Amino acid sequence: MNKDLTPMIQFQPAMEFSTSEEAAKLFMESHSLSHFPLVDHGIYLGNVLADDIFALENEQTLEVLRHDLEIFSINEEAQWFDILEQCSKHDANMVPIINSKKEYLGYYLFKDLLESFSQTPFFAEKALTLTLEKQSQKYSFSEIAHIVESNNSTLLGLFLSKIENERTEIILRINSDNINEVLQAFRRYDYEIISKHLEDDYTNELLERSNYLNKYLNI
């Protein structure tokens, strides 16, 4: 089991085909879940959709949804991005956990993952967020790290936020007292600066320097 994620595991028992529509609806109303796992003698079979549960008629059981299950889960060694990927791919706010025998172990909630993720240094440390763009074939993580660190700044992390029309958008979190030097360095390496607030700061500083120079020349 991934020890870092263990505290976030929810241990609510899964539903079975024999679960009544009344019990299923009461549970889903109180937990606000997009899906919920369904098992047979503890073995994971798939996930029932909340919308399908609420569409059940009186006195029906989940048996009528046997052929409408969405099958997605993660194993007990899954990492952060494995869970995020499953949530995104299936438009889900929970992901069941199963072991190698397909036994249901519990589930992760998307909101718990985001809350925990927000406490990592990438978000929690005081830092600047810098958004860059460059041709997809011409950027590299090592180049980005070199540019940041060679300008006396620290790279806390980065991720790719968009790839479109052979261009890649990259979001960085950095600690820097030399942001203008970092911006200029990225431009020299043909990165486009997308972060408008940083662009404004840089432009304002250039304007201030220009005004000072003009004032000096007019003395």
Side-chain angles (χ1 to χ4, degrees):
M1 185 72 69
N2 187 326
K3 293 182 179 179
D4 292 339
L5 300 176
T6 298
M8 290 187 288
I9 296 176
Q10 304 291 320
F11 293 102
Q12 180 69 36
M15 298 181 188
E16 299 186 359
F17 284 129
S18 60
T19 302
S20 69
E21 57 83 21
E22 182 179 11
K25 287 177 181 178
L26 284 173
F27 176 81
M28 296 302 281
E29 286 173 353
S30 62
H31 287 76
S32 299
L33 297 171
S34 60
H35 304 70
F36 203 71
L38 192 146
V39 301
D40 183 13
H41 296 93
I43 302 301
Y44 171 78
L45 299 177
N47 306 301
V48 287
L49 279 72
D51 290 345
D52 288 345
I53 289 176
F54 289 121
L56 291 174
E57 298 179 0
N58 291 342
E59 300 185 2
Q60 285 185 319
T61 67
L62 297 186
E63 174 66 36
V64 300
L65 301 178
R66 179 182 288 271
H67 302 295
D68 298 316
L69 302 181
E70 286 195 7
I71 301 174
F72 62 90
S73 62
I74 51 154
N75 63 45
E76 49 193 330
E77 300 301 326
Q79 301 296 319
W80 295 76
F81 285 99
D82 298 321
I83 304 169
L84 290 173
E85 180 183 18
Q86 291 299 315
C87 287
S88 175
K89 184 182 296 185
H90 299 281
D91 196 19
N93 61 12
M94 60 78 63
V95 181
I97 311 161
I98 62 174
N99 62 18
S100 59
K101 298 179 181 179
K102 296 188 177 181
E103 294 171 327
Y104 167 70
L105 303 177
Y107 62 93
Y108 290 119
L109 287 174
F110 181 68
K111 69 178 184 65
D112 290 344
L113 189 70
L114 286 186
E115 288 173 5
S116 183
F117 194 46
S118 70
Q119 296 171 16
T120 63
F122 185 84
F123 289 107
E125 289 289 321
K126 184 178 180 181
L128 294 168
T129 300
L130 176 60
T131 306
L132 311 171
E133 186 177 278
K134 193 174 183 179
Q135 289 184 21
S136 297
Q137 303 299 321
K138 294 188 176 182
Y139 80 90
S140 73
F141 290 169
S142 59
E143 181 180 73
I144 292 171
H146 169 73
I147 292 170
V148 172
E149 293 169 0
S150 63
N151 283 279
N152 299 316
S153 302
T154 302
L155 180 64
L156 295 177
L158 60 85
F159 70 93
L160 307 184
S161 55
K162 183 171 65 175
I163 300 176
E164 189 175 88
N165 298 325
E166 298 185 354
R167 293 186 67 82
T168 298
E169 186 176 279
I170 310 148
I171 296 179
L172 286 65
R173 291 279 289 170
I174 63 175
N175 277 329
S176 178
D177 294 325
N178 305 293
I179 188 59
N180 288 337
E181 286 79 1
V182 173
L183 293 177
Q184 292 178 61
F186 274 118
R187 288 192 181 91
R188 288 196 295 273
Y189 281 82
D190 295 324
Y191 287 86
E192 181 180 353
I193 310 299
I194 305 298
S195 304
K196 297 302 182 185
H197 62 288
L198 291 176
E199 281 288 81
D200 291 343
D201 290 343
Y202 178 66
T203 301
N204 288 338
E205 182 167 323
L206 289 180
L207 182 60
E208 289 175 4
R209 290 179 181 179
S210 176
N211 290 338
Y212 179 81
L213 178 61
N214 287 333
K215 182 178 180 181
Y216 176 80
L217 292 173
N218 290 329
I219 292 177

